[in-house]
Every structure is written in C-alpha cells, then in structure tokens.
Amino acid sequence: RTVRSFVTEEKEIANYADKINVSYLITKKRAWISGGLSSLTNLAGDSCILVAMWYGGHMIFENEMSVGGLVSYMLFALQSVFAFSSLISIFPQFMEALG
C-alpha cells in the first residue's frame, strides 16, 4: 500500500529484480568455487591412492613388501583421504558462515 501510494511500484519492482539478480550471481560464483574445490580434492585423493597402489605393486613384485603390508597401508591411506576430504567439504560452509 505504501509503495502504491507514492507511485514508485515500478521502481521497487526493478530494484527487487536487480537485488535478486545480484544474489543469483553471487550464489552461482560460490557454487563454481565449491565445485572446483571439491573436484580438485577428489582428484588429489584419487591420484594419491593410484600412486600408492602402483608403487606398492612394484614393491610386491620386487619382494620388498608383502600383500598384507600393502593392504594395511592402503586401509590407513583411505582413512586419511576420507578424513581430509571431509575437512575440505566443510571449508565452503565455514567461509559462507564468515560472510
């Protein structure tokens, strides 16, 4: 009622549309950053696992390590990778909370 009484309804509609558009662009940028960070951490974790498997297989073929040793190492490594990825997944939410 107040907006109509001062005949600025069209201006307020345009102002609201501008604010919504800015909010959309900020959210879109945050989504790209969060997706990029998640992709990089997943790629880094998978690469580390791949290198560990390759090097462990190499050591098994040269009789420097047993299969059981490689399995126990890989279980430890997977726990570490999952813990690291969980910490990284919290980072965008923490930054959003800070503003």
Side-chain angles (χ1 to χ4, degrees), residues 7 9 26 42 46 71-72 74 77 83 85-86:
V7 192
E9 184 175 4
I26 290 171
N42 286 339
D46 291 346
V71 169
S72 64
M74 289 308 298
S85 66
S86 295

Side-chain angles (χ1 to χ4, degrees), residues 25-95:
L25 293 175
I26 290 171
T27 304
K28 185 177 174 182
K29 182 179 178 182
R30 285 184 180 175
W32 275 103
I33 291 171
S34 178
L37 182 63
S38 176
S39 298
L40 285 176
T41 56
N42 286 339
L43 180 65
D46 291 346
S47 298
C48 289
I49 291 170
L50 182 66
V51 167
M53 289 290 287
W54 171 79
Y55 188 66
H58 179 71
M59 290 178 74
I60 287 172
F61 282 125
E62 292 186 2
N63 290 325
E64 295 177 7
M65 178 186 270
S66 68
V67 175
L70 178 62
V71 169
S72 64
Y73 174 75
M74 289 308 298
L75 288 174
F76 171 72
L78 285 173
Q79 280 184 326
S80 300
V81 166
F82 289 141
F84 180 71
S85 66
S86 295
L87 285 175
I88 292 297
S89 69
I90 294 172
F91 183 72
Q93 295 170 358
F94 180 70
M95 292 306 291

Side-chain angles (χ1 to χ4, degrees), residues 1-12:
R1 293 179 186 175
T2 305
V3 173
R4 283 189 181 176
S5 69
F6 292 107
V7 192
T8 59
E9 184 175 4
E10 295 299 323
K11 178 184 172 193
E12 292 299 324

